Amino acid sequence: NRRAYLIRTFTRSKQYFPKVSTVLTKHNLPHELKVLLALESAFNGNAVSKAGAVGYWQIMDEVAREYGMKYVPRQRSGSKSKGATKTSPARDDRKNFNKSTYAAARYLKDRSKNLDNNLLLMVASYNCGVGNVWEAMKKTGKVEPDFWDIKKFLPAETQAYVMNFITLNVIFHNYKKFESNTLLFTPAKIKVDNTEGDTVEETASSIYN
């Protein structure tokens, strides 16, 4: 239903994703995280959310402050920013691609430490905060819950955010098939060896064949 958006996003990603991957590699983070840039701002450095998140990676004021970024504080109704004038606007590192990407990588690295390197939990925390993810994990009653265990305890927006993260990665990693309308998700039988040495059949998506 959003084919035009996916094609447009993939085309624009060619300019940004290689640079993001380089930064992620320096921080020993999975390259799949680069699609967060598309989800957060659609590559728009001037993007501002209703909550006050700014820039390429939609970083809030408090996070910008924590990671040592220069930023223009969110203006409250009726107030003016002290750091900017009509002739000399203040600098906001969140609108700088390189600086914001490094800050986002540092933030994600910290979340990987908080969440035992669980990729989907890290993605969820980028959207709703690590505190909310921890709270959802507690509600499952499990020792080491994953995203699928906590999904129902997360905000609807975060649930959709993680699923969109998965979707973009699947499509972008299989873009030629997507482009030619041959990317299928029908179950396929594959043979695998189980722990007891027997060969069994399991279902897997055909995109991985």
Side-chain angles (χ1 to χ4, degrees):
N1 292 335
R2 302 191 65 188
R3 186 175 181 83
Y5 159 77
L6 289 166
I7 293 172
R8 184 170 63 251
T9 300
F10 181 80
T11 300
R12 294 199 68 189
S13 74
K14 294 179 181 179
Q15 178 183 349
Y16 296 94
F17 281 0
K19 300 174 185 176
V20 176
S21 290
T22 297
V23 176
L24 293 173
T25 296
K26 289 181 179 179
H27 289 82
N28 196 28
L29 289 166
H31 286 196
E32 285 84 356
L33 290 168
K34 64 181 179 287
V35 306
L36 294 184
L37 179 63
L39 291 176
E40 288 294 331
S41 68
F43 313 107
N44 178 10
N46 293 313
V48 181
S49 74
K50 292 180 180 179
V54 175
Y56 286 101
W57 292 89
Q58 291 293 277
I59 297 172
M60 298 290 288
D61 287 3
E62 55 269 27
V63 175
R65 183 168 58 251
E66 180 182 354
Y67 287 85
M69 304 178 78
K70 290 186 179 297
Y71 68 97
V72 178
R74 184 184 185 188
Q75 293 186 32
R76 307 301 176 185
S77 58
S79 65
K80 294 182 179 180
S81 173
K82 296 181 180 179
T85 67
K86 289 183 178 180
T87 57
S88 179
R91 190 180 85 192
D92 196 319
D93 289 342
R94 295 173 293 184
K95 296 182 179 182
N96 179 294
F97 175 73
N98 289 327
K99 291 180 179 179
S100 63
T101 298
Y102 271 95
R106 289 171 58 205
Y107 178 89
L108 287 165
K109 187 63 178 180
D110 287 341
R111 299 295 78 79
S112 73
K113 296 174 182 176
N114 296 147
L115 297 164
D116 197 28
N117 294 314
N118 187 298
L119 179 60
L120 296 186
L121 294 183
M122 290 162 57
V123 172
S125 73
Y126 198 90
N127 179 258
C128 69
V130 69
N132 287 321
V133 171
W134 280 334
E135 187 63 28
M137 292 171 71
K138 291 178 182 178
K139 289 179 180 179
T140 68
K142 296 186 176 182
V143 178
E144 295 183 355
D146 59 19
F147 168 73
W148 308 106
D149 295 320
I150 75 168
K151 183 181 177 184
K152 63 182 179 181
F153 300 113
L154 294 171
E157 177 188 336
T158 303
Q159 294 182 38
Y161 183 84
V162 177
M163 296 308 296
N164 287 336
F165 167 81
I166 295 170
T167 300
L168 283 188
N169 268 295
V170 169
I171 290 175
F172 289 174
H173 278 87
N174 299 274
Y175 191 74
K176 288 185 178 179
K177 288 185 177 181
F178 166 76
E179 197 173 30
S180 62
N181 289 311
T182 58
L183 180 57
L184 305 176
F185 295 90
T186 51
K189 292 292 185 178
I190 59 174
K191 291 185 176 181
V192 297
D193 293 329
N194 65 17
T195 55
E196 296 178 355
D198 299 322
T199 299
V200 297
E201 287 190 341
E202 291 188 359
T203 300
S205 170
S206 60
I207 62 170
Y208 296 113
N209 292 345

